[in-house]
Amino acid sequence: MKIWDVTYECMPRADVEQLQLERLQATVNRAYKNVTHYRKRFEELDIVPEDIQNLADLSKLPFTAKEDLEMNYPYGMFAVPLREVVRIHSSSGMTEKPTVVGYTKNDIKTWSNLTARVLTAAGVTADDVVQVAFGYGLFTGAFGLHYGAEAIGASVIPMGTGNTEKQIMIMHDYKTTVLVCTPSYALTLAERMVKMRIDPKSLTLRVGLFGGEPWSEPMRKEIEEKLGIKATDNYGVSEILGPGIAGECECERGMHIFEDAFIPEIIDPVSLKVLPPGSTGELVLTTLTKEAFPMIRYRTRDITSLSYQICDCGRTSARIGRIAGRSDDMLIIRGINVFPSQVAGILVALGERNPRYQLVVERKGTLDEFELQLEATENVFFEDPRKQKAFLETLGRKISSVLGVSAAVKLVGPGSIDVPEGKTFRVIDNRRL
Ligand code: DLL
């Protein structure tokens, strides 16, 4: 089993902790000096960077939430002047204001090295032909893994998303050996191959790196069987970096998180207390090497656990377990982050005063289907069926432009949606991953 960076990936724990402390102190200093938001938060908590004397002092530092990024939109959280930023990305999905993240030249180098670790851990080498079927654009998935694959010396096919039949033709003709995409798209490809009468096992495909959305062990088995490959999991969040935070090795016992670049913590999302190793809770990440966009105790909202048991592959890092859900109500539909509460904003803008609605997500075959059921009120229940149809069409268009995914829109009877107390909407996620 190859390891991309033995020095950092196999470092004894005491050395990792020493390195983490030094890098944490440098990060905290830089954030305090260059990011007004952090300086203010430190002042509110009556702390200064010098208070960080050991790793346990991390708990003195404030959390950073997505709302902090929204309040400092677009460049308020950058720790370097814009002229030092060479790349800008965004998180997937569209909240009112998307999250803007920046990278310096060094950040891009670090990022490529980290995704090279993820790809190497999954077994990718210079001899591979890597087909990247993530979206090239503001989303971090494609560029992140693309640069890592190039750093390894693999031949990269920058396919992008969609165009499924062409993907398959290229996979066949260019002799792709590694597939990089969301797990649900891997299944879409497998099913389309059957329709095209192409036996997946006749292809040269051997490994898949899948991430960007939740999936499960049964889905892994299904992908492995249908495509005849080894399917590995990798995790990333754009606010922290994108892909390159953690990835599985061939032992498939959780995703190695690169602790020379990030400090992971698991907290109780309600009490915000740090939980002991092995507990399940919300993953909080602090960056240690990022120049343009350092993040201190960023609340990912992803529910998982950390294992510090040494893995057979030789890497000494902690591993995060499969993401088991989220502590907020964000949904990931076809790889896009969707916040159900945004639908309320759209309805209000269309003249609805107190919308009550329900979002139903199903997985039909390999595709996520998304339906908005809205309780009819006088405002939206027009006598004239043509007016009603026009309203529903406008609503559908707004949903796809604001949320980034399309939804079927349906009116239901008043009072028919059983919304939880204190909420105006309900989410029914029937996907069995
Ligand atoms: O999805 C970055 C990424 C791209 C990771 C490609 C891996 C591969 P965002 O758009 O900011 O960034 O979405 C981040 O996606 O908080 C998780 O909820 C979810 N997620 C990412 N990877 C996994 C995974 C990218 N392996 C959000 N399993 C995260 C489950 C995942 N959920």
Side-chain angles (χ1 to χ4, degrees):
M1 281 190 237
K2 268 189 91 170
I3 294 178
W4 178 250
D5 193 332
V6 175
T7 313
Y8 287 113
E9 292 183 77
C10 303
M11 215 177 223
R13 181 125 300 266
D15 296 357
V16 174
E17 289 181 358
Q18 181 56 33
L19 182 70
Q20 283 184 325
L21 178 59
E22 286 161 19
R23 290 183 169 178
L24 175 66
Q25 287 169 329
T27 299
V28 167
N29 260 310
R30 221 156 10 85
Y32 181 79
K33 210 167 101 215
N34 300 330
V35 183
T36 313
H37 167 82
Y38 280 123
R39 178 183 291 265
K40 277 201 203 139
R41 292 290 288 123
F42 280 36
E43 281 168 4
E44 278 161 22
L45 295 170
D46 201 18
I47 51 170
V48 286
E50 291 69 33
D51 290 334
I52 305 304
Q53 292 296 327
N54 52 56
L55 284 181
D57 290 335
L58 183 64
S59 62
K60 294 181 180 163
L61 295 172
F63 290 108
T64 309
K66 204 174 179 82
E67 296 75 53
D68 296 316
L69 273 51
E70 279 167 13
M71 273 182 328
N72 289 284
Y73 177 83
Y75 297 136
M77 300 296 278
F78 282 25
V80 298
L82 209 49
R83 50 191 287 274
E84 287 176 33
V85 170
V86 298
R87 180 88 67 76
I88 290 167
H89 278 288
S90 253
S91 69
S92 72
M94 290 172 258
T95 40
E96 204 114 314
K97 296 284 188 197
T99 308
V100 184
V101 296
Y103 304 74
T104 63
K105 267 192 187 158
N106 269 336
D107 288 335
I108 296 281
K109 246 191 253 162
T110 312
W111 192 14
S112 312
N113 267 314
L114 292 174
T115 52
R117 291 186 195 178
V118 170
L119 287 147
T120 306
V124 180
T125 71
D127 296 328
D128 279 302
V129 178
V130 180
Q131 186 159 334
V132 180
F134 275 127
Y136 282 82
L138 285 176
F139 181 55
T140 51
F143 279 105
L145 287 149
H146 177 121
Y147 275 56
E150 279 187 359
I152 289 177
S155 317
V156 184
I157 308 174
M159 258 321 284
T161 48
N163 241 330
T164 304
E165 297 204 351
K166 191 167 176 191
Q167 298 260 10
I168 295 169
M169 183 197 83
I170 285 185
M171 207 172 272
H172 176 270
D173 295 352
Y174 299 8
K175 307 215 174 341
T176 302
T177 56
V178 177
L179 173 64
V180 174
C181 61
T182 56
S184 56
Y185 193 59
L187 284 174
T188 302
L189 283 164
E191 293 197 347
R192 189 66 64 87
M193 283 179 200
V194 175
K195 283 200 186 121
M196 292 166 72
R197 294 176 195 286
I198 291 178
D199 176 7
K201 285 164 197 141
S202 71
L203 302 176
T204 40
L205 216 52
R206 60 176 200 87
V207 175
L209 282 103
F210 305 117
E213 66 178 13
W215 56 313
S216 61
E217 281 310 310
M219 258 182 96
R220 187 207 303 264
K221 292 248 150 45
E222 195 180 343
I223 296 172
E224 290 188 333
E225 271 161 28
K226 288 191 166 156
L227 285 178
I229 61 173
K230 187 169 178 65
T232 62
D233 194 4
N234 75 95
Y235 172 80
V237 184
S238 35
E239 290 82 353
I240 294 295
L241 183 78
I245 296 174
E248 267 182 333
C249 68
E250 288 163 71
C251 303
E252 291 181 3
R253 278 201 225 122
M255 297 178 271
H256 288 278
I257 173 155
F258 305 121
E259 289 183 273
D260 53 312
F262 313 100
I263 302 182
E265 297 171 273
I266 296 289
I267 63 161
D268 176 327
V270 180
S271 70
L272 304 185
K273 290 249 165 5
V274 178
L275 299 174
S279 319
T280 297
E282 181 184 322
L283 178 68
V284 169
L285 293 170
T286 298
T287 65
L288 297 176
T289 54
K290 291 260 301 287
E291 292 181 343
F293 201 76
M295 280 286 108
I296 294 175
R297 305 191 84 198
Y298 182 70
R299 292 190 59 186
T300 65
R301 306 285 178 171
D302 291 317
I303 303 294
T304 183
S305 61
L306 285 170
S307 163
Y308 287 89
Q309 278 169 10
I310 302 294
C311 183
D312 291 343
C313 71
R315 291 173 184 82
T316 50
S317 65
R319 282 160 291 144
I320 61 174
R322 194 177 276 289
I323 305 298
R326 296 199 38 99
S327 66
D328 58 9
D329 45 37
M330 184 181 95
L331 291 164
I332 302 188
I333 301 174
R334 288 174 230 139
I336 309 277
N337 303 349
V338 171
F339 294 87
S341 52
Q342 283 176 273
V343 175
I346 299 172
L347 288 163
V348 169
L350 289 176
E352 186 54 14
R353 274 191 295 278
N354 277 314
R356 276 166 63 95
Y357 58 91
Q358 167 162 298
L359 300 176
V360 185
V361 195
E362 315 261 359
R363 183 156 286 179
K364 294 256 167 73
T366 59
L367 269 188
D368 291 338
E369 294 209 347
F370 178 35
E371 183 172 86
L372 163 65
Q373 298 174 354
L374 173 67
E375 276 190 13
T377 59
E378 272 170 33
N379 266 334
V380 296
F381 190 74
F382 304 98
E383 289 292 307
D384 181 348
R386 273 175 310 178
K387 272 195 184 159
Q388 188 167 308
K389 189 163 171 263
F391 169 82
L392 293 178
E393 278 170 8
T394 311
L395 181 55
R397 265 200 311 280
K398 288 261 178 230
I399 292 206
S400 84
S401 73
V402 175
L403 269 55
V405 286
S406 50
V409 182
K410 194 167 128 190
L411 280 187
V412 296
S416 64
I417 296 176
D418 192 12
V419 294
E421 218 177 287
K423 292 234 175 191
T424 54
F425 62 84
R426 185 163 83 136
V427 173
I428 301 179
D429 193 342
N430 287 327
R431 289 174 292 186
R432 301 260 175 278
L433 302 180

